[in-house]
Amino acid sequence: GGWIMAILPALMPVIKSVDVTSTEALVIPVPSGYEILFLEWHDVYGDQTSVQNLLMTLVSGDNGYDNSLQTMGAVSSTSNDSNSIQLGSFGDTTGQQRYDSGQVVIFNRASQEKVVLGTEAFYRGDSEDSTANHIEGKDRDTTDPITTITITAQTGNMVSGRIILRGLRTDKAPRLGSPDIMQFIGSHEVSGTEASVTFPTIPTGYGMLMLFFHGLEGDTTGNENTKLTFNGDTDNNYDRALQQYGSASSTAYGSAYAGIAIMGDSDDRELFTSGFMTIFNRAGQEKVVIGSSNYFSQTNMAGTIHDFAASHVLCKWRNTATEINTLTLTPTADNWDAGKVWLIGVRI
């Protein structure tokens, strides 16, 4: 999932950038109006010869978080009722020689649980060996938006590194037709029962599209897929792989859609899905979709309540004749009944 952030540092507004110098806790104020936040950290290390965990808190106090940090070859494994979300781990430059870097997307809608998705990696200065992990977390608060983000070392102090917070504020984002490289195409919040979410008019010239979704759920009992289609094409022109971490990609060829997430209904399974995708949109090439998605249940009907099931996504649309001019999300059965979707265009 970390690839999506590669283009963001130059294009998303910076809320705060801090060069860490011997601190146990870093508190970052978050202004109002940011529905999506992007947190990055680079080469953070500490002052302990043993491993130090890098922790984050948002709105809730103790026991208000659910968290999973697992290697890329392992499925999500959730710690419930946690006091924080673990972002990574580090150590000092002479003992552990463990440097940690990473990036997460934080969905910040006031009335919804705050979902965190991303990746991190640490390397050892003595051996140069690297280990990468996928991160899933959430703050259970559904009352308030995030006003501060606190980053702490579980033991000891952070003594060096850089931490950057960026944000997407859709009411002030560059709009269609502006000269900006990154432009806000639009967003849609599901209201009542809707059969699909469609962005009907995507102008030409976007070499890349960025799709974000938070808290999507349907009204069918049981699990169902989140289908992504382009330009109204529902013929068998898609190849798709949606696999949980810990499993290699397994492609379904000649499908009628690109499958990007799993979710369920609000009366039975209550599976809420969130995710982010990069869509490569060159006219003369097949359109490739790469991303991550994650669902959790708010009942015990689909496993343990609050536990995460994160997946890596790889799909493509075989069309090489045109750019994408419409984008549609639909459930595999019946309708949407909650969630929000954002679409951003990048002129590259």
Side-chain angles (χ1 to χ4, degrees), residues 50-69:
S50 57
V51 174
Q52 300 168 259
N53 289 334
L54 184 65
L55 307 178
M56 176 177 70
T57 55
L58 303 172
V59 180
S60 295
D62 289 350
N63 305 317
Y65 299 89
D66 304 290
N67 178 55
S68 174
L69 178 71

Side-chain angles (χ1 to χ4, degrees), residues 83-289:
N83 296 334
S84 59
I85 296 171
Q86 184 180 351
L87 298 177
S89 59
F90 57 93
D92 79 346
T93 56
T94 57
Q96 282 288 315
Q97 295 190 34
R98 187 163 173 156
Y99 300 78
D100 197 77
S101 302
Q103 48 205 7
V104 292
V105 174
I106 305 170
F107 293 98
N108 183 32
R109 296 163 65 206
S111 62
Q112 304 294 323
E113 293 187 323
K114 316 302 181 285
V115 174
V116 178
L117 295 171
T119 57
E120 66 90 30
F122 64 83
Y123 67 90
R124 294 290 301 265
D126 55 351
S127 65
E128 304 300 336
D129 285 348
S130 298
T131 300
N133 297 295
H134 55 98
I135 304 165
E136 296 85 48
K138 65 183 177 72
D139 183 337
R140 296 184 186 178
D141 180 89
T142 59
T143 304
D144 302 304
I146 298 166
T147 57
T148 59
I149 294 177
T150 302
I151 310 295
T152 61
Q154 188 174 30
T155 58
N157 298 286
M158 298 178 284
V159 299
S160 187
R162 175 170 290 182
I163 297 176
I164 302 172
L165 181 67
R166 309 173 193 271
L168 173 66
R169 185 166 181 168
T170 56
D171 62 344
K172 294 186 177 181
R175 299 287 167 163
L176 296 176
S178 75
D180 297 86
I181 296 174
M182 176 177 283
Q183 298 175 4
F184 176 58
I185 295 174
S187 64
H188 181 82
E189 185 162 7
V190 175
S191 177
T193 299
E194 300 184 33
S196 64
V197 173
T198 298
F199 295 92
T201 307
I202 301 174
T204 60
Y206 293 119
M208 183 183 294
L209 300 170
M210 299 171 63
L211 177 69
F212 299 84
F213 50 94
H214 177 226
L216 283 176
E217 64 170 350
D219 63 359
T220 294
T221 55
N223 293 6
E224 56 183 315
N225 211 323
T226 301
K227 302 190 300 184
L228 173 65
T229 56
F230 304 117
N231 296 15
D233 184 1
T234 56
D235 292 332
N236 298 326
N237 294 319
Y238 301 85
D239 305 299
R240 57 185 174 90
L242 172 65
Q243 303 294 139
Q244 286 193 15
Y245 284 105
S247 298
S249 297
S250 179
T251 307
Y253 300 102
S255 177
Y257 60 87
I260 61 172
I262 301 295
M263 52 85 190
D265 82 332
S266 60
D267 299 319
D268 180 20
R269 303 179 75 81
E270 292 200 37
L271 294 182
F272 294 84
T273 191
S274 302
F276 50 85
M277 308 287 144
T278 289
I279 304 166
F280 295 97
N281 183 35
R282 296 169 60 201
Q285 304 293 326
E286 293 185 326
K287 313 304 182 285
V288 176
V289 180

Side-chain angles (χ1 to χ4, degrees), residues 16-97:
K16 186 77 172 180
S17 178
V18 178
D19 288 322
V20 176
T21 55
S22 189
T23 180
E24 180 181 1
L26 175 64
V27 180
I28 303 175
V30 180
S32 62
Y34 290 99
E35 290 189 310
I36 305 177
L37 299 166
F38 307 92
L39 181 70
E40 308 157 25
W41 60 99
H42 178 229
D43 270 4
V44 172
Y45 66 89
D47 60 0
Q48 304 292 300
T49 55
S50 57
V51 174
Q52 300 168 259
N53 289 334
L54 184 65
L55 307 178
M56 176 177 70
T57 55
L58 303 172
V59 180
S60 295
D62 289 350
N63 305 317
Y65 299 89
D66 304 290
N67 178 55
S68 174
L69 178 71
Q70 296 293 316
T71 64
M72 291 298 184
V75 299
S76 302
S77 179
T78 309
S79 297
N80 301 120
D81 304 310
S82 299
N83 296 334
S84 59
I85 296 171
Q86 184 180 351
L87 298 177
S89 59
F90 57 93
D92 79 346
T93 56
T94 57
Q96 282 288 315
Q97 295 190 34

